[in-house]
Amino acid sequence: MAEAAVVQKPSAWRALGVALTNRKTFFMLVFGFASGLPFALFLGTLFAWLTEAEVDLETMGIFSLIGLAYAFQFLWSPLIDKADLPLLRKLGKRKQWIVPMQIALGVILVTMSVLEPRTQLGWFSLLAGIGAFASATQDIAINAWRIDVADDKATIDILSTVYQMGYRFSSLVGGALGLIIAARIGWPETYMMMGAILLGAGFIGLFAPNAEGDALATSEVADEQVLALRKAGELNPNIRGRALGLVGLLWAIAIGVVLTFMIMSMTYAPEDRPNPTEFTRNFGPWIIVATIILPALIAGWLSAQKREGRHVLTEDAPPVSGGAYALDHLYRALVLPLVEFVGRMGWSLVLILAVVLTYRICDAIWGTFAYPFYLGELKYTNDEVAFASKFFGVGAIIAGLALGGLMLTTIGRMATLLIGGLLAALTNLLYADLAVGGANMQAVSDAVGFTWAISQVPVIGSAGLAKLTITIAFENLAIGIAGAAYIAWLSSIVSKKFSAVQYALLSSLTLLVGTLGRGALGEMIENQGYFDVFVLTTFIGLAASVLVCLEWYRQVRAGSEAGIIAPEAQPAE
């Protein structure tokens, strides 16, 4: 047994070296950077510019709508998966969306740089909204590209890790570094510079490789899949039509609710505008139910009917055209991805959704309350928090991602997912110690010489900052490991044929559950204090680790390899 382990190590290291030098890895780094930069500029740095321009808080509140584009990006993911853009399909199935979105983002940022936020706020907010939509669309296509191009050299594990490294680095460039640059050359020049960077990313993206079989037009693939729906053994068109009608109605209601909210927010007087946080909390769960939970149940029923031979065609049905053909296309775009996923996973889907809903919940919720904790509860200064959480913290996350990528290659995906989850959960106890004075973290910092090192930092170096910095470092290192494993695992369970829709649906659950839980967590902080909250989030993280163990056991029993390539789709249902 020991000898086998020794034999495997060189191959793992060799595979890691091959993956890191693969050209796909380079483009994944570029795409990750291009994906994270708009998010940082539209949802973080932009508010600093608006504040400096003396835009009032009520008016600034409308910009929080930008976050909805990211939270509900799955609503238009079927379009990205199944539609071709005129004249751009030659770039590739995914690049036809990635490259234009990056160029559009670059143009938007450059245009915003020549506007004056206070006097031209209408144009400014319109461009920011369009930019957020383009950024979210780019994210859908980039995530799908990562899954599509993964192979035995550029593995899904390494591509997912490199993607996050680029994403995290761009948050530093667009966030902390953006603030520093703006203080020296001004906001317009800073946004013009960031726009030029995205234009450069769009140019580089032109040369990114495509997945095998990408030469076929999306429409050609669609025609084949639509024709397959009328073969013997496939579901009766009437049954499919009823399912499509139900799912289409649910999605239409969800899209209508989101559009109504956005129109009200854009056109109503400031005092009459709906609150984005309340909207997400009150309507978010129902949107998830309407667009994911109920359609998944319908998809499960359809899959069971086909598997048991009920309501299926006994012979090939003749090809159709016109409205019936259009309905088959809609079924293929909207319902078939869910039918494939539910049919492939079966009841295991319940376990998978449980992992999705709990694994990153601590990180997703905690982010909103980090600064109130650092500044209000612990009484650190803005400069101290910026140093600990932005510069040092981002460096720690990147180090964690690198370590996570190494662990994925050497010990496997599920082992890394479990270790990352445990570490991320236990680091909440470090914050619990800070909440009651931080004596233990101060002792650790003193013992390893970290306190002395921090005290040497000019201007902000202080012994009291050391315990915060080392706590953030441990947490971010754990987040990096957990994040690398989680994205790799999530990417590995979706089908390549439906990667855009399936990944967007699962990742949106991760994002929305954190948003929905912030209200309850904020109330708990008010009533019981931070210490109890950190203990609770520790237990949530430990529960998620138990679920990961069950998912690992499920994969072993199913005989599935933790693997290097995202699974291929099953034949069309």
Side-chain angles (χ1 to χ4, degrees):
M1 197 72 179
E3 289 182 5
V6 172
V7 172
Q8 290 175 359
K9 283 183 180 179
S11 62
W13 283 96
R14 192 179 305 116
L16 178 62
V18 170
L20 291 176
T21 55
N22 191 286
R23 63 192 294 256
K24 293 177 182 176
T25 307
F26 166 75
F27 286 104
M28 188 75 267
L29 186 67
V30 173
F31 285 163
F33 184 89
S35 182
L37 190 60
F39 188 87
L41 293 173
F42 289 133
L43 287 178
T45 313
L46 182 63
F47 289 93
W49 186 2
L50 295 175
T51 301
E52 193 172 300
E54 299 181 346
V55 175
D56 64 88
L57 291 176
E58 279 192 284
T59 303
M60 271 199 287
I62 198 171
F63 282 87
S64 60
L65 288 173
I66 291 171
L68 292 178
Y70 297 95
F72 297 110
Q73 60 182 257
F74 63 88
L75 292 175
W76 64 92
S77 60
L79 178 68
I80 311 303
D81 224 0
K82 305 305 176 188
D84 286 332
L85 292 175
L87 306 178
L88 295 175
R89 182 56 181 85
K90 291 182 179 180
L91 293 176
K93 180 179 179 181
R94 306 305 181 190
K95 284 163 55 182
Q96 67 174 326
W97 292 96
I98 296 173
V99 173
M101 292 304 107
Q102 289 174 346
I103 293 174
L105 285 163
V107 171
I108 286 170
L109 290 173
V110 171
T111 305
M112 289 174 69
S113 72
V114 301
L115 297 177
E116 209 290 311
R118 187 173 177 83
T119 60
Q120 298 174 295
L121 190 62
W123 283 106
F124 206 78
S125 58
L126 178 62
L127 286 172
I130 296 173
F133 179 82
S135 176
T137 302
Q138 172 194 223
D139 290 353
I140 298 170
I142 286 176
N143 286 322
W145 180 87
R146 180 182 70 247
I147 295 165
D148 291 352
V149 303
D151 56 27
D152 58 346
K153 293 181 180 178
T155 68
I156 193 66
D157 297 328
I158 295 301
L159 289 178
S160 298
T161 301
V162 170
Y163 164 78
Q164 287 190 85
M165 293 180 76
Y167 192 98
R168 295 291 185 175
F169 181 67
S170 69
S171 69
L172 179 63
V173 172
L177 189 60
L179 292 171
I180 292 173
I181 295 173
R184 284 156 178 77
I185 65 174
W187 285 110
E189 292 78 7
T190 300
Y191 267 68
M192 185 172 291
M193 181 188 302
M194 299 298 175
I197 291 173
L198 280 171
L199 288 172
F203 176 75
I204 294 172
L206 289 170
F207 304 97
N210 292 312
E212 293 183 11
D214 195 77
L216 285 175
T218 308
S219 56
E220 293 178 34
V221 177
D223 288 339
E224 291 180 7
Q225 292 181 347
V226 167
L227 290 173
L229 291 173
R230 293 184 173 265
K231 299 291 185 181
E234 295 295 330
L235 288 166
N236 188 293
N238 292 329
I239 296 297
R240 288 193 287 103
R242 293 170 192 168
L244 174 62
L246 270 174
V247 173
L249 177 63
L250 290 168
W251 275 64
I253 291 172
I255 293 172
V257 169
V258 173
L259 287 177
T260 300
F261 169 77
M262 295 184 71
I263 291 171
M264 291 171 63
S265 299
M266 297 290 290
T267 59
Y268 283 23
E271 62 273 11
D272 297 324
R273 290 172 187 160
N275 184 285
T277 303
E278 291 183 2
F279 171 80
T280 306
R281 183 173 64 246
N282 296 332
F283 289 93
W286 296 110
I287 291 174
I288 291 295
V289 168
T291 54
I292 300 178
I293 305 300
L294 291 179
L297 293 174
I298 295 170
W301 183 82
L302 291 173
S303 180
Q305 297 304 298
K306 182 183 176 183
R307 185 173 59 252
E308 296 167 8
R310 295 202 296 258
H311 303 298
V312 297
L313 295 170
T314 56
E315 58 183 24
D316 290 357
V320 294
S321 58
Y325 185 70
L327 288 176
D328 282 356
H329 267 282
L330 277 175
Y331 177 86
R332 168 188 165 275
L334 196 58
V335 183
L336 192 56
L338 285 171
V339 173
E340 189 281 331
F341 191 67
V342 175
R344 176 160 47 89
M345 294 300 177
W347 285 105
S348 301
L349 180 62
V350 176
L351 175 58
I352 288 169
L353 290 178
V355 175
V356 169
L357 290 170
T358 58
Y359 190 79
R360 300 305 302 274
I361 189 172
C362 299
D363 305 333
I365 292 177
W366 166 237
T368 302
F369 303 101
Y371 285 111
F373 178 64
Y374 301 150
L375 299 171
E377 184 77 8
L378 302 183
K379 306 300 182 184
Y380 286 102
T381 67
N382 288 340
D383 286 346
E384 289 172 332
V385 171
F387 170 79
S389 66
K390 293 297 182 183
F391 290 101
F392 204 90
V394 171
I397 284 184
I398 293 175
L401 288 169
L403 181 57
L406 177 61
M407 292 169 64
L408 284 167
T409 306
T410 54
I411 67 175
R413 184 181 303 139
M414 296 309 298
T416 307
L417 190 68
L418 176 59
I419 293 171
L422 285 171
L423 290 176
L426 294 174
T427 53
N428 285 280
L429 295 178
L430 307 185
Y431 280 99
D433 180 66
L434 286 184
V436 292
N440 292 318
M441 293 311 300
Q442 186 66 58
V444 170
S445 180
D446 293 343
V448 299
F450 193 77
T451 302
W452 175 87
I454 290 296
S455 66
Q456 307 307 303
V457 178
V459 184
I460 61 172
S462 67
L465 180 60
K467 60 184 178 184
L468 175 66
T469 307
I470 198 170
T471 300
I472 290 176
F474 278 129
E475 182 207 24
N476 286 6
L477 194 69
I479 287 175
I481 297 171
Y486 180 72
I487 298 300
W489 170 74
L490 206 62
S491 301
S492 74
I493 63 175
V494 304
S495 161
K496 283 193 172 186
K497 285 188 178 180
F498 305 104
S499 52
V501 177
Q502 291 179 357
Y503 188 90
L505 287 169
L506 291 173
S507 61
S508 291
L509 283 176
T510 305
L511 182 62
L512 282 171
V513 72
T515 304
L516 299 175
R518 286 170 193 159
L521 192 70
E523 186 175 341
M524 184 177 177
I525 291 173
E526 288 287 335
N527 295 333
Q528 297 177 243
Y530 283 98
F531 178 84
D532 287 348
V533 167
F534 290 127
V535 172
L536 173 64
T537 52
T538 299
F539 280 112
I540 294 174
L542 293 176
S545 298
V546 173
L547 293 172
V548 168
C549 290
L550 295 175
E551 165 64 6
W552 193 355
Y553 177 69
R554 180 196 70 81
Q555 288 192 9
V556 172
R557 284 203 61 181
S560 59
E561 183 69 29
I564 49 180
I565 306 175
E568 294 286 355
Q570 302 298 316
E573 297 284 354

